[in-house]
C-alpha cells in the first residue's frame, strides 16, 4: 500500500502531502522546458517531456504522489475543438462543430491522447515513484462544458446566457461524460493509481442546477472510477455545500477550497478530506505559513486527511517555500 492510500484509509499516523499544480511555472526547471516549447498542447502531448515534468517536483520535495503533467482541456482538443494557450491570457478554444464531434469514435479519441497514456506508462515505474501514487485526472463534466461553451476562462456572469439551448447542452454533456470515462479508463489502464476530478468552476452554477450539471454527471464518473477499484478524489471548487456534495456524489476523498471553514468540514463530513490551505500563504512569510498550516493539521489531526492546497501553487511561489511546507507537514505531529 502506498503512503497516500494509507493516509486515505488512516492506516498510518504519518502526515501525507502533495500539491495541486506541483509541476509547473514556479519551478525553474519547468520554465526552462516551457521556454523551448511554446505550444502548450504539443508539450502535453510530448510523452518524454511530460513524464520528465511530472517527476520534477518529486526530485525536489518529499511529496507522496505525482500528478501526470497534462491538462483538462486535452479532452475538448481530442473531441476536435481547437485549443490554444495565449500568453498572459489563458486558454482560447474554437467553435464547436457538434455534427462532427458527435461522430468521433473511441479509437480516434484515444489515438489523439496516446502520448498522455504513454507518459503515464513511462512515469509509473520511475524510482522517484516507489511507494507513491501516480494521479491521473479529468475536468468534471460541468467545468469542461464551461470551457467548451465559453471558449475561455469565464468571468462570473457570462455563463447563464449560454445555457439556454437546452437540447444542445444535454447532447453535448452526454458526449463529454462518455469521453471523460474513456479518458479515465485509459489513464487507469496505463498505470494511474488514483483519479482526481477537477470541478474548478462549480462555484459558477446556481444551486437549482446542481443536480443536472454537477451531481448527476460527476456521480456517473465517480461510480465508474470506483468500479475500477481505485480511489477517486473530487475537487468541486466554490461549491456552496460540500456536505450535500459528499452525500450525493460519494467520492472517496473530498478536496476543499480555501474559502470553506475547515472546522465546519471536519465536524460535518466523515470521508477523507484533502487540501484547503490558501496558496497565497506560500508567497508570504514563513511564520504566517506555519500558523495556517498548523490550523489545518490540528483540525484534521484525528481524521483521514491529505495535506494539499485550496487551489494550485501560484506561479510566483518560491520553491524554497514549498520545501519548507513539505518538511513542516512531514515532521509535524
Ligand atoms: O506555462 C504555462 O502557461 C502553462 C500553465 C499550465 C500548467 C502547468 C496550464 C495552463 N496547465 C498546466 C498543467 C495542469 N493543468 C495540470 C498538471 C500539473 C500539476 O498539477 O502539477 C493539471 C492537474 C491541470 C488542471 C487544469 N487545467 C485545471 C483544473 C485545476 C485548476 O487549476 O483549477 C484547469 C481549470 C485547467 C485549465 C487551464 N490550463 C492552463 C490554464 C492557464 C488554464 C486556465 C485556468 C487557470 O488559469 O488556471
Amino acid at each position: 500500500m502506498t503512503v497516500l492510500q494509507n493516509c486515505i484509509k488512516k492506516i498510518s499516523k504519518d502526515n501525507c502531502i502533495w500539491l495541486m499544480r506541483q509541476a509547473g511555472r514556479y519551478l525553474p526547471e519547468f520554465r526552462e522546458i516551457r521556454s523551448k516549447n511554446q505550444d502548450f498542447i504539443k508539450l502535453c502531448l510530448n510523452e518524454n517531456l511530460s513524464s520528465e515534468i511530472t517527476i520534477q517536483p518529486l526530485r525536489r520535495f518529499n511529496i507522496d504522489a505525482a500528478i501526470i503533467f497534462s491538462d483538462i482541456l486535452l479532452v475538448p482538443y481530442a473531441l476536435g475543438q481547437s485549443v490554444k494557450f495565449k500568453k498572459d491570457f489563458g486558454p482560447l478554444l474554437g467553435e464547436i462543430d457538434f455534427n462532427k464531434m458527435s461522430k468521433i469514435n473511441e479509437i480516434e479519441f484515444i489515438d489523439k491522447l496516446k502520448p498522455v497514456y504513454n507518459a503515464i506508462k513511462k512515469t509509473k515505474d520511475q524510482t522517484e515513484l516507489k511507494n507513491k501514487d501516480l494521479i491521473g485526472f479529468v475536468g468534471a463534466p460541468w467545468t469542461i462544458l464551461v470551457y467548451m461553451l465559453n471558449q475561455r476562462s469565464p468571468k462570473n456572469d457570462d455563463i447563464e446566457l449560454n445555457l439556454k439551448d437546452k437540447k444542445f447542452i444535454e447532447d453535448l454533456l452526454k458526449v463529454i461524460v462518455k469521453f471523460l470515462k474513456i479518458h479515465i479508463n485509459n489513464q487507469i489502464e496505463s498505470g494511474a493509481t488514483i483519479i482526481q476530478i477537477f470541478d474548478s468552476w462549480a462555484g459558477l452554477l446556481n444551486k437549482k442546477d446542481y443536480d443536472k450539471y454537477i451531481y448527476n454527471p460527476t456521480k456517473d464518473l465517480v461510480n465508474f472510477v470506483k468500479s475500477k477499484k481505485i480511489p477517486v478524489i473530487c475537487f468541486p471548487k466554490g461549491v456552496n455545500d460540500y456536505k450535500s456534495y459528499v452525500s450525493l456524489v460519494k467520492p472517496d476523498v473530498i478536496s476543499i477550497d480555501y474559502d470553506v471553514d475547515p472546522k465546519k468540514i471536519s465536524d460535518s463530513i466523515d470521508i477523507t478530506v484533502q487540501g484547503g490551505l490558501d496558496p497565497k500563504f506560500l508567497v508570504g512569510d514563513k511564520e504566517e505559513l506555519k500558523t495556517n498550516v498548523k490550523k489545518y493539521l490540528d483540525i484534521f489531526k484525528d481524521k483521514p486527511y491529505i495535506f494539499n492546497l485550496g487551489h494550485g501553487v501560484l506561479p510566483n511561489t518560491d520553491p524554497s517555500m514549498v520545501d519548507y511546507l513539505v518538511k513542516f507537514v512531514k515532521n509535524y505531529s
Side-chain angles (χ1 to χ4, degrees):
M1 191 70 84
T2 59
V3 179
L4 205 68
Q5 301 215 25
N6 277 337
C7 203
I8 292 175
K9 299 204 168 114
K10 193 79 187 168
I11 290 173
S12 103
K13 280 193 148 185
D14 296 338
N15 292 331
C16 66
I17 176 169
W18 71 278
L19 302 173
M20 289 191 266
R21 293 281 172 105
Q22 63 190 27
R25 287 169 289 182
Y26 75 105
L27 290 179
E29 57 271 37
F30 170 78
R31 288 200 302 271
E32 196 189 325
I33 294 180
R34 181 75 170 103
S35 69
K36 296 183 200 135
N37 294 272
Q38 297 292 325
D39 185 330
F40 184 70
I41 295 281
K42 267 201 191 146
L43 176 57
C44 291
L45 294 175
N46 180 326
E47 58 200 61
N48 292 326
L49 289 180
S50 60
S51 174
E52 164 61 24
I53 294 168
T54 302
I55 301 285
Q56 281 178 346
L58 282 92
R59 293 202 188 102
R60 281 182 178 256
F61 317 117
N62 183 21
I63 40 182
D64 297 308
I67 179 161
I68 191 67
F69 179 78
S70 174
D71 200 89
I72 63 166
L73 297 178
L74 286 183
V75 167
Y77 162 82
L79 287 172
Q81 191 173 13
S82 85
V83 180
K84 294 201 167 68
F85 287 85
K86 221 169 109 182
K87 201 167 188 298
D88 303 322
F89 178 82
L92 258 183
L93 288 78
E95 299 278 334
I96 298 173
D97 181 344
F98 191 69
N99 209 359
K100 228 167 136 187
M101 195 174 280
S102 53
K103 294 194 185 92
I104 286 182
N105 66 43
E106 189 169 338
I107 296 167
E108 287 170 83
F109 177 87
I110 294 173
D111 209 44
K112 277 189 141 173
L113 298 183
K114 265 267 146 66
V116 176
Y117 312 132
N118 289 341
I120 293 175
K121 286 180 193 157
K122 252 188 201 345
T123 310
K124 73 175 173 38
D125 296 323
Q126 302 290 318
T127 49
E128 288 88 344
L129 258 89
K130 197 167 181 300
N131 233 349
K132 297 185 178 187
D133 283 280
L134 178 54
I135 302 172
F137 68 90
V138 290
W142 164 249
T143 285
I144 296 299
L145 187 71
V146 166
Y147 278 109
M148 289 178 80
L149 292 175
N150 199 58
Q151 298 176 260
R152 61 190 65 197
S153 295
K155 295 194 184 67
N156 282 340
D157 49 9
D158 54 7
I159 279 301
E160 200 70 10
L161 285 172
N162 289 330
L163 288 177
K164 284 194 179 130
D165 188 350
K166 293 275 188 283
K167 170 82 175 87
F168 166 62
I169 300 218
E170 255 169 50
D171 291 346
L172 181 57
L173 197 57
K174 275 190 199 137
V175 172
I176 291 172
V177 170
K178 172 181 163 189
F179 284 96
L180 286 175
K181 282 187 192 164
I182 293 169
H183 190 39
I184 289 173
N185 190 41
N186 280 277
Q187 292 183 72
I188 297 174
E189 302 257 296
S190 307
T193 52
I194 294 182
I195 294 292
Q196 175 147 328
I197 301 175
F198 287 94
D199 213 346
S200 306
W201 297 107
L204 283 183
L205 201 60
N206 282 325
K207 208 167 174 201
K208 66 172 176 41
D209 293 321
Y210 276 13
D211 275 338
K212 193 166 173 185
Y213 295 111
I214 295 186
Y215 295 151
N216 295 336
T218 312
K219 192 175 169 55
D220 199 354
L221 297 188
V222 163
N223 286 340
F224 182 75
V225 181
K226 285 182 171 176
S227 76
K228 306 284 168 187
K229 308 274 184 252
I230 70 166
V232 54
I233 306 172
C234 285
F235 178 50
K237 183 172 182 293
V239 86
N240 85 341
D241 180 355
Y242 274 92
K243 192 171 157 52
S244 303
Y245 184 96
V246 165
S247 67
L248 291 165
V249 178
K250 297 192 172 60
D252 296 297
V253 180
I254 183 78
S255 199
I256 57 173
D257 65 77
Y258 48 78
D259 276 335
V260 293
D261 177 356
K263 181 79 176 74
K264 262 196 201 144
I265 295 283
S266 169
D267 291 343
S268 63
I269 284 177
D270 55 11
I271 64 166
T272 305
V273 174
Q274 169 178 280
L277 181 80
D278 195 324
K280 77 176 184 205
F281 290 119
L282 280 171
V283 193
D285 73 84
K286 280 188 179 156
E287 280 310 306
E288 203 184 0
L289 172 65
K290 204 161 84 179
T291 310
N292 282 280
V293 172
K294 266 190 191 163
K295 183 174 91 179
Y296 283 91
L297 291 174
D298 289 341
I299 287 173
F300 293 107
K301 184 162 65 75
D302 299 319
K303 306 230 163 179
Y305 178 64
I306 302 170
F307 195 93
N308 203 321
L309 305 175
H311 203 187
V313 178
L314 297 165
N316 57 337
T317 302
D318 184 335
S320 71
M321 288 293 275
V322 175
D323 189 49
Y324 178 80
L325 167 71
V326 174
K327 287 181 175 145
F328 185 82
V329 170
K330 285 286 185 180
N331 292 326
Y332 190 74
S333 55

